[in-house]
Tab-separated table of all heavy atoms in Angstrom:
chain	number	residue	atom	x	y	z
Q	18	VAL	N	3.261	-13.259	0.529
Q	18	VAL	CA	3.037	-12.426	1.712
Q	18	VAL	C	4.327	-11.687	2.031
Q	18	VAL	O	5.427	-12.220	1.841
Q	18	VAL	CB	2.587	-13.283	2.920
Q	18	VAL	CG1	3.654	-14.303	3.320
Q	18	VAL	CG2	2.217	-12.412	4.117
Q	19	ASN	N	4.195	-10.434	2.489
Q	19	ASN	CA	5.376	-9.705	2.983
Q	19	ASN	C	5.082	-8.926	4.253
Q	19	ASN	O	5.942	-8.179	4.741
Q	19	ASN	CB	5.927	-8.759	1.907
Q	19	ASN	CG	5.082	-7.492	1.730
Q	19	ASN	OD1	3.936	-7.420	2.188
Q	19	ASN	ND2	5.636	-6.497	1.058
Q	20	ASP	N	3.880	-9.062	4.798
Q	20	ASP	CA	3.453	-8.292	5.968
Q	20	ASP	C	4.385	-8.572	7.150
Q	20	ASP	O	4.458	-9.708	7.637
Q	20	ASP	CB	2.018	-8.683	6.331
Q	20	ASP	CG	1.421	-7.802	7.407
Q	20	ASP	OD1	2.184	-7.115	8.123
Q	20	ASP	OD2	0.184	-7.803	7.556
Q	21	PRO	N	5.115	-7.550	7.648
Q	21	PRO	CA	6.012	-7.778	8.776
Q	21	PRO	C	5.290	-8.232	10.043
Q	21	PRO	O	5.918	-8.848	10.923
Q	21	PRO	CB	6.659	-6.405	8.990
Q	21	PRO	CG	6.537	-5.715	7.674
Q	21	PRO	CD	5.218	-6.186	7.114
Q	22	PHE	N	4.012	-7.942	10.132
Q	22	PHE	CA	3.257	-8.327	11.323
Q	22	PHE	C	2.526	-9.660	11.118
Q	22	PHE	O	1.689	-10.043	11.929
Q	22	PHE	CB	2.297	-7.199	11.706
Q	22	PHE	CG	3.041	-5.934	12.068
Q	22	PHE	CD1	3.286	-4.955	11.112
Q	22	PHE	CD2	3.549	-5.751	13.348
Q	22	PHE	CE1	3.995	-3.810	11.431
Q	22	PHE	CE2	4.257	-4.606	13.673
Q	22	PHE	CZ	4.493	-3.632	12.723
Q	23	ARG	N	2.866	-10.340	10.041
Q	23	ARG	CA	2.434	-11.724	9.820
Q	23	ARG	C	3.669	-12.595	9.575
Q	23	ARG	O	3.704	-13.431	8.702
Q	23	ARG	CB	1.482	-11.823	8.627
Q	23	ARG	CG	0.051	-11.311	8.870
Q	23	ARG	CD	-0.736	-11.506	7.583
Q	23	ARG	NE	-2.167	-11.309	7.706
Q	23	ARG	CZ	-2.802	-10.189	7.363
Q	23	ARG	NH1	-2.115	-9.146	6.934
Q	23	ARG	NH2	-4.117	-10.106	7.443
Q	24	GLY	N	4.700	-12.366	10.361
Q	24	GLY	CA	5.902	-13.170	10.247
Q	24	GLY	C	6.928	-12.639	9.281
Q	24	GLY	O	7.972	-13.270	9.062
Q	25	GLY	N	6.675	-11.486	8.691
Q	25	GLY	CA	7.648	-10.910	7.772
Q	25	GLY	C	8.769	-10.203	8.510
Q	25	GLY	O	8.827	-10.184	9.740
Q	26	THR	N	9.665	-9.634	7.739
Q	26	THR	CA	10.793	-8.911	8.317
Q	26	THR	C	10.679	-7.430	7.954
Q	26	THR	O	10.400	-6.602	8.791
Q	26	THR	CB	12.113	-9.520	7.813
Q	26	THR	OG1	12.004	-9.792	6.410
Q	26	THR	CG2	12.398	-10.830	8.527
Q	27	HIS	N	10.877	-7.109	6.674
Q	27	HIS	CA	10.494	-5.786	6.160
Q	27	HIS	C	9.885	-5.985	4.779
Q	27	HIS	O	9.955	-7.070	4.195
Q	27	HIS	CB	11.656	-4.794	6.177
Q	27	HIS	CG	12.877	-5.243	5.432
Q	27	HIS	ND1	14.076	-4.564	5.474
Q	27	HIS	CD2	13.114	-6.325	4.628
Q	27	HIS	CE1	14.966	-5.187	4.727
Q	27	HIS	NE2	14.409	-6.237	4.206
Q	28	LEU	N	9.259	-4.955	4.241
Q	28	LEU	CA	8.410	-5.133	3.061
Q	28	LEU	C	9.142	-5.641	1.821
Q	28	LEU	O	8.540	-6.378	1.025
Q	28	LEU	CB	7.679	-3.820	2.749
Q	28	LEU	CG	6.686	-3.345	3.816
Q	28	LEU	CD1	6.001	-2.055	3.368
Q	28	LEU	CD2	5.633	-4.415	4.111
Q	29	PRO	N	10.405	-5.271	1.573
Q	29	PRO	CA	11.054	-5.817	0.372
Q	29	PRO	C	11.209	-7.339	0.379
Q	29	PRO	O	11.387	-7.938	-0.687
Q	29	PRO	CB	12.426	-5.127	0.376
Q	29	PRO	CG	12.210	-3.857	1.131
Q	29	PRO	CD	11.234	-4.219	2.206
Q	30	ASP	N	11.158	-7.964	1.542
Q	30	ASP	CA	11.281	-9.421	1.630
Q	30	ASP	C	9.915	-10.059	1.382
Q	30	ASP	O	9.037	-10.043	2.247
Q	30	ASP	CB	11.795	-9.844	3.007
Q	30	ASP	CG	13.263	-9.541	3.195
Q	30	ASP	OD1	13.975	-9.384	2.184
Q	30	ASP	OD2	13.712	-9.454	4.359
Q	31	ILE	N	9.737	-10.619	0.192
Q	31	ILE	CA	8.473	-11.249	-0.179
Q	31	ILE	C	8.627	-12.759	-0.089
Q	31	ILE	O	9.561	-13.344	-0.650
Q	31	ILE	CB	8.034	-10.835	-1.595
Q	31	ILE	CG1	7.817	-9.321	-1.658
Q	31	ILE	CG2	6.761	-11.578	-1.999
Q	31	ILE	CD1	7.421	-8.815	-3.029
Q	32	THR	N	7.712	-13.390	0.628
Q	32	THR	CA	7.721	-14.840	0.824
Q	32	THR	C	6.673	-15.477	-0.076
Q	32	THR	O	5.563	-14.962	-0.211
Q	32	THR	CB	7.430	-15.184	2.294
Q	32	THR	OG1	8.428	-14.589	3.116
Q	32	THR	CG2	7.429	-16.692	2.524
Q	33	LEU	N	7.038	-16.599	-0.682
Q	33	LEU	CA	6.134	-17.351	-1.556
Q	33	LEU	C	6.053	-18.783	-1.032
Q	33	LEU	O	7.079	-19.448	-0.872
Q	33	LEU	CB	6.646	-17.332	-2.990
Q	33	LEU	CG	5.701	-17.882	-4.064
Q	33	LEU	CD1	4.467	-16.993	-4.181
Q	33	LEU	CD2	6.407	-17.964	-5.418
Q	34	VAL	N	4.832	-19.245	-0.759
Q	34	VAL	CA	4.597	-20.558	-0.149
Q	34	VAL	C	3.814	-21.436	-1.124
Q	34	VAL	O	2.841	-20.987	-1.735
Q	34	VAL	CB	3.806	-20.419	1.168
Q	34	VAL	CG1	3.636	-21.779	1.851
Q	34	VAL	CG2	4.498	-19.434	2.110
Q	35	ALA	N	4.250	-22.701	-1.254
Q	35	ALA	CA	3.568	-23.647	-2.145
Q	35	ALA	C	3.392	-24.983	-1.436
Q	35	ALA	O	4.250	-25.403	-0.655
Q	35	ALA	CB	4.363	-23.844	-3.430
Q	36	PRO	N	2.272	-25.698	-1.710
Q	36	PRO	CA	2.028	-26.995	-1.082
Q	36	PRO	C	2.640	-28.137	-1.891
Q	36	PRO	O	2.906	-28.000	-3.087
Q	36	PRO	CB	0.508	-27.098	-1.098
Q	36	PRO	CG	0.135	-26.396	-2.388
Q	36	PRO	CD	1.137	-25.274	-2.565
Q	37	VAL	N	2.828	-29.260	-1.221
Q	37	VAL	CA	3.229	-30.500	-1.897
Q	37	VAL	C	2.206	-31.560	-1.517
Q	37	VAL	O	2.086	-31.925	-0.332
Q	37	VAL	CB	4.641	-30.943	-1.477
Q	37	VAL	CG1	5.017	-32.244	-2.192
Q	37	VAL	CG2	5.659	-29.845	-1.782
Q	38	PHE	N	1.460	-32.035	-2.504
Q	38	PHE	CA	0.417	-33.024	-2.267
Q	38	PHE	C	0.923	-34.423	-2.617
Q	38	PHE	O	1.875	-34.585	-3.384
Q	38	PHE	CB	-0.821	-32.713	-3.111
Q	38	PHE	CG	-1.625	-31.549	-2.636
Q	38	PHE	CD1	-1.325	-30.258	-3.061
Q	38	PHE	CD2	-2.689	-31.736	-1.761
Q	38	PHE	CE1	-2.072	-29.177	-2.627
Q	38	PHE	CE2	-3.441	-30.661	-1.320
Q	38	PHE	CZ	-3.138	-29.377	-1.753
Q	39	ALA	N	0.258	-35.416	-2.048
Q	39	ALA	CA	0.504	-36.821	-2.396
Q	39	ALA	C	-0.824	-37.557	-2.298
Q	39	ALA	O	-1.390	-37.681	-1.206
Q	39	ALA	CB	1.534	-37.446	-1.455
Q	40	ASP	N	-1.339	-38.007	-3.413
Q	40	ASP	CA	-2.596	-38.765	-3.436
Q	40	ASP	C	-3.768	-37.958	-2.908
Q	40	ASP	O	-4.628	-38.477	-2.184
Q	40	ASP	CB	-2.461	-40.070	-2.631
Q	40	ASP	CG	-1.330	-40.935	-3.154
Q	40	ASP	OD1	-1.148	-40.962	-4.391
Q	40	ASP	OD2	-0.642	-41.563	-2.343
Q	41	GLY	N	-3.824	-36.681	-3.231
Q	41	GLY	CA	-4.962	-35.862	-2.824
Q	41	GLY	C	-4.949	-35.538	-1.350
Q	41	GLY	O	-3.933	-35.652	-0.669
Q	42	GLY	N	-6.099	-35.130	-0.825
Q	42	GLY	CA	-6.192	-34.783	0.585
Q	42	GLY	C	-5.465	-33.493	0.899
Q	42	GLY	O	-5.376	-32.574	0.079
Q	43	ARG	N	-4.916	-33.427	2.107
Q	43	ARG	CA	-4.209	-32.228	2.552
Q	43	ARG	C	-2.748	-32.296	2.123
Q	43	ARG	O	-2.198	-33.377	1.898
Q	43	ARG	CB	-4.300	-32.105	4.070
Q	43	ARG	CG	-5.734	-31.959	4.585
Q	43	ARG	CD	-5.730	-31.824	6.098
Q	43	ARG	NE	-4.948	-30.672	6.534
Q	43	ARG	CZ	-4.643	-30.419	7.811
Q	43	ARG	NH1	-5.042	-31.243	8.763
Q	43	ARG	NH2	-3.934	-29.356	8.124
Q	44	PRO	N	-2.072	-31.148	2.033
Q	44	PRO	CA	-0.649	-31.160	1.692
Q	44	PRO	C	0.166	-31.958	2.708
Q	44	PRO	O	-0.112	-31.924	3.912
Q	44	PRO	CB	-0.271	-29.679	1.715
Q	44	PRO	CG	-1.551	-28.945	1.470
Q	44	PRO	CD	-2.607	-29.769	2.140
Q	45	VAL	N	1.176	-32.648	2.221
Q	45	VAL	CA	2.083	-33.407	3.073
Q	45	VAL	C	3.250	-32.531	3.517
Q	45	VAL	O	3.746	-32.651	4.637
Q	45	VAL	CB	2.610	-34.646	2.338
Q	45	VAL	CG1	3.462	-35.506	3.246
Q	45	VAL	CG2	1.467	-35.454	1.765
Q	46	PHE	N	3.684	-31.665	2.624
Q	46	PHE	CA	4.774	-30.723	2.901
Q	46	PHE	C	4.434	-29.380	2.257
Q	46	PHE	O	3.498	-29.273	1.453
Q	46	PHE	CB	6.114	-31.229	2.330
Q	46	PHE	CG	6.667	-32.445	3.007
Q	46	PHE	CD1	6.482	-33.699	2.444
Q	46	PHE	CD2	7.367	-32.332	4.189
Q	46	PHE	CE1	6.990	-34.829	3.054
Q	46	PHE	CE2	7.882	-33.459	4.819
Q	46	PHE	CZ	7.700	-34.707	4.257
Q	47	TYR	N	5.230	-28.381	2.622
Q	47	TYR	CA	5.198	-27.082	1.960
Q	47	TYR	C	6.638	-26.680	1.647
Q	47	TYR	O	7.566	-27.065	2.364
Q	47	TYR	CB	4.563	-26.004	2.853
Q	47	TYR	CG	3.115	-26.250	3.187
Q	47	TYR	CD1	2.768	-26.976	4.327
Q	47	TYR	CD2	2.096	-25.762	2.378
Q	47	TYR	CE1	1.443	-27.215	4.644
Q	47	TYR	CE2	0.760	-25.992	2.692
Q	47	TYR	CZ	0.443	-26.716	3.823
Q	47	TYR	OH	-0.873	-26.958	4.128
Q	48	VAL	N	6.812	-25.914	0.586
Q	48	VAL	CA	8.090	-25.281	0.303
Q	48	VAL	C	7.860	-23.782	0.289
Q	48	VAL	O	6.775	-23.300	-0.051
Q	48	VAL	CB	8.694	-25.753	-1.036
Q	48	VAL	CG1	9.110	-27.208	-0.950
Q	48	VAL	CG2	7.718	-25.545	-2.192
Q	49	ALA	N	8.889	-23.041	0.680
Q	49	ALA	CA	8.760	-21.590	0.716
Q	49	ALA	C	10.111	-20.957	0.450
Q	49	ALA	O	11.165	-21.524	0.770
Q	49	ALA	CB	8.222	-21.129	2.077
Q	50	ASN	N	10.058	-19.786	-0.151
Q	50	ASN	CA	11.282	-18.998	-0.305
Q	50	ASN	C	10.965	-17.538	-0.030
Q	50	ASN	O	9.830	-17.085	-0.187
Q	50	ASN	CB	11.909	-19.186	-1.687
Q	50	ASN	CG	11.068	-18.629	-2.823
Q	50	ASN	OD1	10.990	-17.425	-3.013
Q	50	ASN	ND2	10.422	-19.529	-3.587
Q	51	ARG	N	11.982	-16.831	0.412
Q	51	ARG	CA	11.863	-15.394	0.704
Q	51	ARG	C	12.986	-14.685	-0.030
Q	51	ARG	O	14.156	-15.073	0.085
Q	51	ARG	CB	11.962	-15.145	2.209
Q	51	ARG	CG	11.943	-13.678	2.611
Q	51	ARG	CD	11.795	-13.512	4.121
Q	51	ARG	NE	10.453	-13.902	4.556
Q	51	ARG	CZ	10.034	-13.856	5.821
Q	51	ARG	NH1	10.846	-13.455	6.791
Q	51	ARG	NH2	8.803	-14.212	6.126
Q	52	ALA	N	12.640	-13.665	-0.811
Q	52	ALA	CA	13.630	-12.925	-1.588
Q	52	ALA	C	13.443	-11.429	-1.380
Q	52	ALA	O	12.310	-10.943	-1.280
Q	52	ALA	CB	13.513	-13.268	-3.070
Q	53	HIS	N	14.563	-10.728	-1.312
Q	53	HIS	CA	14.522	-9.272	-1.138
Q	53	HIS	C	14.413	-8.617	-2.515
Q	53	HIS	O	15.326	-8.702	-3.330
Q	53	HIS	CB	15.789	-8.786	-0.424
Q	53	HIS	CG	15.776	-7.322	-0.129
Q	53	HIS	ND1	15.752	-6.814	1.146
Q	53	HIS	CD2	15.771	-6.231	-0.946
Q	53	HIS	CE1	15.742	-5.498	1.111
Q	53	HIS	NE2	15.746	-5.118	-0.168
Q	54	HIS	N	13.282	-7.950	-2.747
Q	54	HIS	CA	13.062	-7.216	-3.988
Q	54	HIS	C	13.591	-5.793	-3.828
Q	54	HIS	O	13.325	-5.137	-2.814
Q	54	HIS	CB	11.576	-7.198	-4.344
Q	54	HIS	CG	11.081	-8.525	-4.843
Q	54	HIS	ND1	10.770	-8.750	-6.167
Q	54	HIS	CD2	10.864	-9.705	-4.195
Q	54	HIS	CE1	10.381	-10.007	-6.321
Q	54	HIS	NE2	10.426	-10.605	-5.133
Q	55	SER	N	14.328	-5.337	-4.825
Q	55	SER	CA	15.022	-4.054	-4.705
Q	55	SER	C	14.092	-2.854	-4.639
Q	55	SER	O	14.541	-1.747	-4.335
Q	55	SER	CB	15.995	-3.879	-5.875
Q	55	SER	OG	17.018	-4.843	-5.806
Q	56	ASP	N	12.811	-3.050	-4.936
Q	56	ASP	CA	11.847	-1.967	-4.766
Q	56	ASP	C	10.451	-2.557	-4.678
Q	56	ASP	O	10.073	-3.398	-5.502
Q	56	ASP	CB	11.907	-0.979	-5.928
Q	56	ASP	CG	11.091	0.277	-5.663
Q	56	ASP	OD1	11.652	1.238	-5.103
Q	56	ASP	OD2	9.885	0.282	-5.987
Q	57	VAL	N	9.697	-2.123	-3.663
Q	57	VAL	CA	8.286	-2.509	-3.538
Q	57	VAL	C	7.433	-1.263	-3.304
Q	57	VAL	O	6.422	-1.294	-2.610
Q	57	VAL	CB	8.067	-3.543	-2.406
Q	57	VAL	CG1	8.658	-4.892	-2.790
Q	57	VAL	CG2	8.638	-3.060	-1.074
Q	58	GLY	N	7.857	-0.149	-3.919
Q	58	GLY	CA	7.125	1.097	-3.765
Q	58	GLY	C	7.540	1.855	-2.525
Q	58	GLY	O	8.630	1.679	-1.991
Q	59	GLY	N	6.653	2.735	-2.066
Q	59	GLY	CA	6.959	3.528	-0.880
Q	59	GLY	C	7.567	4.869	-1.223
Q	59	GLY	O	7.696	5.261	-2.385
């Protein structure tokens, strides 16, 4: 996701979210990173 109106900052900053499961069910934790891409069009 990079939408500034969904918690983003500006479009080059792309966030990637991943779950961490333990014994099935719902995720226990999540990890996320945000990186500035030098070009996303425009």
Side-chain angles (χ1 to χ4, degrees):
V18 62
N19 76 345
D20 188 342
F22 297 93
R23 285 181 169 99
T26 43
H27 56 188
L28 296 182
D30 287 339
I31 299 178
T32 300
L33 189 66
V34 184
V37 179
F38 286 88
D40 303 323
R43 298 181 59 189
V45 185
F46 292 99
Y47 296 90
V48 292
N50 67 74
R51 176 170 290 180
H53 184 114
H54 287 253
S55 295
D56 190 90
V57 290

